[in-house]
Amino acid sequence: MQPYVLVLYYSKYGATKKMAHLIADGIESTGIATKVRTVPQISSTIEAVEPSIPEEGDIYCTLEDLQNCAGLALGSATRFGNMASELKYFLDQTTTLWLSGALHNKPACVFTCSGSMHGGQESTLLSMLPPLFHHGMMLLGLTNGSSELSNTKTGGTPYGASHVSGSRHDQKMSTDEKTLCFHQGVRLGQVAQQLLK
């Protein structure tokens, strides 16, 4: 099987999805393949069932997608300073991978999007790290080698790429935010390839 880096995200309004694809572009620029996957909505209606394949967009992630990846970029919309319940629900299903050590020593990074500048981006990124630590993954942030990290007036943190989408989720990504997503993907792709050698 060809090695790949998994870009796994949850996006309600599309901004986190755009980030995921920019990160995937950065990963692929290093010469390693990507799989971009999402997770289904969670419904408060007990009878509601999502189709096993979405009608449009990226397909749903499986445990096998996660188990076989050479690295992971994990992204979520911000929900009150925390990752979205949809992504948390998927991660809660990964006990078998934890028991087998399937993700040990694989590189990972996190990214997020919020409606406002102070919407909890950094705490959301931090909320995504504990499951990755428990899985024995090696975590990567953004370095100050990306000047955009110091100059951004919108999203971007040392913990991972971020985007401020606005209260109506209609604010386009800034050049700095796009560049930081790409740089994060490049760093993850380079480390994944070094660890495969």
Side-chain angles (χ1 to χ4, degrees):
M1 180 187 337
Q2 179 186 16
Y4 64 88
V5 173
L6 178 64
V7 182
L8 173 59
Y9 71 92
Y10 171 74
S11 184
K12 181 155 184 161
Y13 299 105
T16 311
K17 176 181 180 177
K18 288 178 186 169
M19 294 180 73
H21 284 272
L22 285 167
I23 290 169
D25 289 345
I27 294 165
E28 289 175 355
S29 76
T30 69
I32 191 168
T34 59
K35 283 188 180 182
V36 181
R37 298 290 187 263
T38 189
V39 294
Q41 294 273 348
I42 292 177
S43 173
S44 59
T45 305
I46 294 172
E47 297 82 22
V49 177
E50 289 282 333
S52 58
I53 298 174
E55 293 179 15
E56 62 181 334
D58 297 312
I59 64 174
Y60 298 136
C61 190
T62 65
L63 289 180
E64 290 76 24
D65 289 331
L66 183 56
Q67 176 179 337
N68 296 321
C69 74
L72 172 67
L74 185 67
S76 175
T78 294
R79 294 291 180 264
F80 302 105
N82 208 328
M83 77 174 101
S85 58
E86 287 82 355
L87 189 62
K88 176 70 166 61
Y89 180 80
F90 177 84
L91 293 173
D92 285 346
Q93 309 308 308
T94 62
T95 304
T96 56
L97 302 185
W98 175 77
L99 287 168
S100 70
L103 301 177
H104 286 183
N105 301 319
K106 294 182 181 182
C109 66
V110 292
F111 59 99
T112 192
C113 175
S114 66
S116 66
M117 179 67 79
H118 303 290
Q121 291 184 352
E122 290 187 343
S123 61
T124 298
L125 294 169
L126 293 171
S127 79
M128 289 189 280
L129 297 179
L132 305 182
F133 277 120
H134 280 268
H135 275 292
M137 301 191 86
M138 298 187 300
L139 304 175
L140 305 171
L142 283 164
T143 73
N144 62 358
S146 299
S147 61
E148 294 80 7
L149 192 57
S150 299
N151 299 329
T152 183
K153 302 289 186 231
T154 52
T157 80
Y159 309 111
S162 64
H163 165 57
V164 179
S165 65
S167 59
R168 294 194 173 114
H169 310 287
D170 57 358
Q171 190 168 305
K172 294 186 186 300
M173 291 183 73
S174 71
T175 301
D176 287 341
E177 290 172 332
K178 290 178 183 177
T179 302
L180 289 169
C181 286
F182 188 83
H183 286 182
Q184 184 163 335
V186 168
R187 186 170 192 218
L188 180 59
Q190 289 173 337
V191 171
Q193 288 196 79
Q194 289 169 1
L195 291 171
L196 286 169
K197 292 180 181 177

